[in-house]
Amino acid sequence: MNVLVINGPNLNMLGIREKHIYGTQTYENLKDRITDYCEKEQITVEIFQSNHEGALVDKIQSAYFSQIDGIVINPAAYTHTSVAILDALKAVQIPAVEVHLSDISSREDFRQISYAGMACEKTIVGKGFDGYIEALKYLKNRHQ
Ligand code: DQA
């Protein structure tokens, strides 16, 4: 099974940014956690991060042409603004799970809308790195 994990802006700053919200573990730690899990579960994974909306759209589109079976996406701030990411997810019609490290439902009003989430089968919030593992599990079970 082939899975693409996509992370949006500022997630490369994990371990530096707002530690009281996102914790002290780094983006490298997150990648290691995902890679280890995927190796164990025989999932082929690509992990992609960008601070640029168009690059995220390009990556979602590329999944259509590279036999990707599932997408895990944390669009970060673009969650709450990007119709382009929503449209890209709708265009490729690949099962997708939205993940947020923090519980966006208990944060500011402007975080209460998720455009990307409208094209995702499942949303996982507030579970930190475990949320990514839960998303991968969901996609694997769904694929079997
Ligand atoms: C986030 C939540 C977003 O609201 C925020 O802009 C982020 C990270 C999360 O993982 O909790 O950058 O997606």
Side-chain angles (χ1 to χ4, degrees):
M1 170 183 202
N2 296 315
V3 172
L4 177 61
V5 177
I6 301 177
N7 286 306
N10 301 306
L11 289 169
N12 57 317
M13 296 292 276
L14 287 178
I16 299 168
R17 71 183 293 213
E18 300 177 283
K19 292 182 195 153
H20 58 293
I21 298 174
Y22 301 113
T24 54
Q25 297 215 76
T26 65
Y27 188 63
E28 282 305 311
N29 295 150
L30 175 61
K31 286 200 292 186
D32 288 346
R33 178 87 195 276
I34 292 169
T35 306
D36 288 352
Y37 179 79
C38 288
E39 247 170 53
K40 222 173 49 200
E41 295 297 321
Q42 285 157 344
I43 297 168
T44 304
V45 70
E46 182 187 355
I47 307 170
F48 177 81
Q49 190 275 331
S50 178
N51 295 323
H52 306 277
E53 185 176 14
L56 297 167
V57 169
D58 286 345
K59 197 68 195 176
I60 294 165
Q61 288 184 9
S62 79
Y64 180 82
F65 300 100
S66 48
Q67 277 76 52
I68 296 294
D69 304 302
I71 295 175
V72 175
I73 185 162
N74 181 350
Y78 289 135
T79 305
H80 319 297
T81 61
S82 180
V83 176
I85 290 175
L86 166 63
D87 285 348
L89 289 168
K90 280 183 164 174
V92 298
Q93 289 191 303
I94 296 169
V97 179
E98 173 189 23
V99 173
H100 297 284
L101 297 161
S102 66
D103 180 5
I104 51 173
S105 70
S106 64
R107 295 184 64 192
E108 301 93 328
D109 285 352
F110 63 84
R111 294 187 208 273
Q112 300 312 308
I113 184 147
S114 169
Y115 291 104
M118 294 173 194
C120 291
E121 289 189 6
K122 190 175 164 68
T123 295
I124 301 164
V125 303
K127 296 187 175 174
F129 290 3
D130 290 349
Y132 287 81
I133 304 302
E134 194 177 318
L136 291 162
K137 253 181 216 162
Y138 171 85
L139 289 172
K140 185 157 188 226
N141 286 339
R142 189 194 184 286
H143 186 68
Q144 274 161 0

